[in-house]
Amino acid sequence: MIHIEEVDKVEEELTYSSISRHVVETETCGEMEVYVEGDLDKLRDTSTVFLTVHDVGSSYLSWVQFTQHKEVREVRNRSVFLHLSVCGQAPDNQELESFPSMQDLSMDLVTVLDQLKIQTVVAMGDGAGANIVMQFAMSHPGRVWGVVLINCSATEGPDAVDRGTLLTSPRLLVGINKLHKDKMTKKNSSSKNEVNFKNLSLFESAYRARADLTSQLAEKISFDTLLITGTKSKTMKDTEEIHKEVKPGTCSIIKIDDVKDVMTDATDKLVDAIILFCQGLGLMPSARRRTSRSWSVSSQPKTFERGKSMEHLAEPSVNIISRIKSISLTVPAPLAPRPSILARFAVD
């Protein structure tokens, strides 16, 4: 059963397209809230559908803020975004008595898609949300076109969560993100829109208690995967480890220099990476990206080749990215039946 209500304004500072709140009854996690951005009834069968899952200390609004970035406008207008609100993490949610495991959260995403009548998505997750998305895709590879994992860890807890940093982060101070920080600074006397700290602690504990998935990566990641991390992120080494473990031909990694929080500190580069990834999957072929970037892209090191600047690749298939600067590639021959993100570059 799904309960739906319209969300006219999530934040006063931004103008949102239609966002509706769907409450999906699941077997393990109980009620799960999904905030749908876009016309689901009109676009579910004809457009790209994105599923997003947020990190500990954040909420679905961190992804809503991302989709409101000016560089995402063209993608947003032709797509549907399903923003999952992890149990108890939305503003003003009631205090929880218990919390599901990371595996339970991932498994119930299938119920969410079934109830919303969505067959296949591009799934994107940040931090703990990336772990949830990864487990979901590993269990149900047929339900994803591909996955985008930001600052993801496949190792067991508890060291991937820095509680000292978490408790002083701008997102947590307001329960959501920088948008709420600005708003709450003006309204210090109000508790509205603050995250429930007990619920957040439960989410953090569930993330710390997650299982080690490293040994399963080579066997179960058979879908196109894009790993994104910042060189200042605590999870960079974990992200690199995932990249090493996955079989060649399905996984690429982007490391953004001098960045810790990719979603807030390198939004424009993240947008370009997602668009490029989707175009590699055959989705959104006409979506345009910015013309100047400084990330690096690589895939599993089967054989080592001299890195090539995108400015020197003259193949017709890379015309769309011919003006992107300072991107280096090391590309082995793809082994997966479905082309990976880098296959569109026609680099051998």
Side-chain angles (χ1 to χ4, degrees):
M1 180 181 294
I2 304 178
H3 305 289
I4 305 174
E5 63 182 57
E6 294 298 322
V7 179
D8 297 324
K9 257 189 179 181
V10 181
E11 283 296 322
E12 296 176 358
E13 293 85 348
L14 293 177
T15 301
Y16 290 86
S17 58
S18 58
I19 297 179
S20 57
R21 174 178 174 267
H22 297 240
V23 180
V24 179
E25 297 282 351
T26 66
E27 181 178 355
T28 305
C29 300
E31 293 185 349
M32 296 186 76
E33 296 177 315
V34 182
Y35 290 81
V36 178
E37 187 174 5
D39 191 333
L40 184 61
D41 292 331
K42 181 180 179 181
L43 299 176
R44 65 157 52 90
D45 296 324
T46 60
S47 302
T48 304
V49 179
F50 293 91
L51 171 67
T52 72
V53 187
H54 60 86
D55 194 8
V56 176
S58 183
S59 86
Y60 76 95
L61 284 172
S62 61
W63 277 105
V64 172
Q65 181 186 11
F66 170 77
T67 62
Q68 294 301 310
H69 192 277
K70 63 182 180 180
E71 300 298 336
V72 191
R73 185 181 300 115
E74 184 176 358
V75 176
R76 187 178 70 243
N77 290 341
R78 65 178 70 189
S79 307
V80 176
F81 286 86
L82 312 179
H83 302 297
L84 177 73
S85 178
V86 176
C87 306
Q89 307 304 304
D92 305 325
N93 274 174
Q94 296 297 312
E95 190 167 281
L96 301 176
E97 294 301 322
S98 60
F99 197 87
S101 67
M102 301 293 285
Q103 182 179 14
D104 289 340
L105 287 165
S106 69
M107 296 303 290
D108 273 355
L109 291 182
V110 177
T111 303
V112 170
L113 296 186
D114 288 343
Q115 291 296 316
L116 295 177
K117 300 179 181 178
I118 300 295
Q119 179 60 36
T120 313
V121 296
V122 175
M124 304 190 296
D126 176 28
N131 184 274
I132 294 170
V133 164
M134 180 172 62
Q135 292 197 56
F136 160 66
M138 288 169 65
S139 298
H140 302 278
R143 302 304 293 268
V144 297
W145 294 110
V147 299
V148 178
L149 307 177
I150 303 170
N151 290 333
C152 187
S153 175
T155 61
E156 62 182 349
D159 295 335
V161 176
D162 186 341
R163 189 170 181 82
T165 301
L166 183 67
L167 291 176
T168 58
S169 69
R171 291 192 198 179
L172 185 58
L173 289 173
V174 295
I176 308 298
N177 50 34
K178 293 180 179 180
L179 259 166
H180 280 95
K181 181 181 180 182
D182 296 337
K183 185 173 182 179
M184 294 304 296
T185 300
K186 299 175 184 178
K187 300 183 180 181
N188 290 328
S189 60
S190 172
S191 61
K192 188 176 181 180
N193 290 324
E194 289 185 344
V195 74
N196 183 296
F197 277 79
K198 178 181 177 182
N199 293 351
L200 185 145
S201 180
L202 290 173
F203 186 14
E204 178 192 350
S205 296
Y207 185 42
R208 287 175 174 271
R210 69 191 181 281
D212 191 336
L213 304 173
T214 307
S215 62
Q216 304 178 40
L217 298 179
E219 177 185 357
K220 292 189 176 181
I221 292 189
S222 57
F223 42 86
D224 287 285
T225 302
L226 175 60
L227 302 168
I228 304 179
T229 188
T231 57
K232 291 184 177 180
S233 171
K234 183 176 181 179
T235 58
M236 186 183 74
K237 290 184 178 180
D238 289 343
T239 301
E240 291 175 330
E241 186 64 26
I242 294 173
H243 183 244
K244 292 177 182 177
E245 291 294 327
V246 177
K247 292 180 181 179
T250 58
C251 184
S252 301
I253 185 170
I254 292 175
K255 290 177 281 188
I256 304 177
D257 291 337
D258 300 320
V259 166
K260 182 177 181 180
D261 188 338
V262 173
M263 289 190 65
T264 58
D265 299 336
T267 305
D268 54 348
K269 296 177 183 179
L270 176 58
V271 173
D272 268 11
I274 291 172
I275 292 177
L276 184 59
F277 178 67
C278 289
Q279 289 175 340
L281 299 173
L283 306 172
M284 302 189 302
S286 61
R288 294 171 296 178
R289 295 173 289 106
R290 289 175 63 90
T291 59
S292 179
R293 283 294 168 261
S294 58
W295 356 292
S296 62
V297 184
S298 62
S299 63
Q300 293 90 338
K302 180 183 178 183
T303 58
F304 293 95
E305 299 177 349
R306 182 181 299 274
K308 299 182 180 180
S309 168
M310 293 302 296
E311 294 179 324
H312 296 94
L313 295 179
E315 292 84 354
S317 61
V318 299
N319 286 341
I320 190 171
I321 42 125
S322 61
R323 290 180 293 175
I324 295 179
K325 299 178 180 179
S326 302
I327 301 180
S328 61
L329 297 169
T330 303
V331 188
L335 301 182
R338 186 166 62 180
S340 72
I341 177 178
L342 299 180
R344 66 175 281 106
F345 296 155
V347 180
D348 296 325

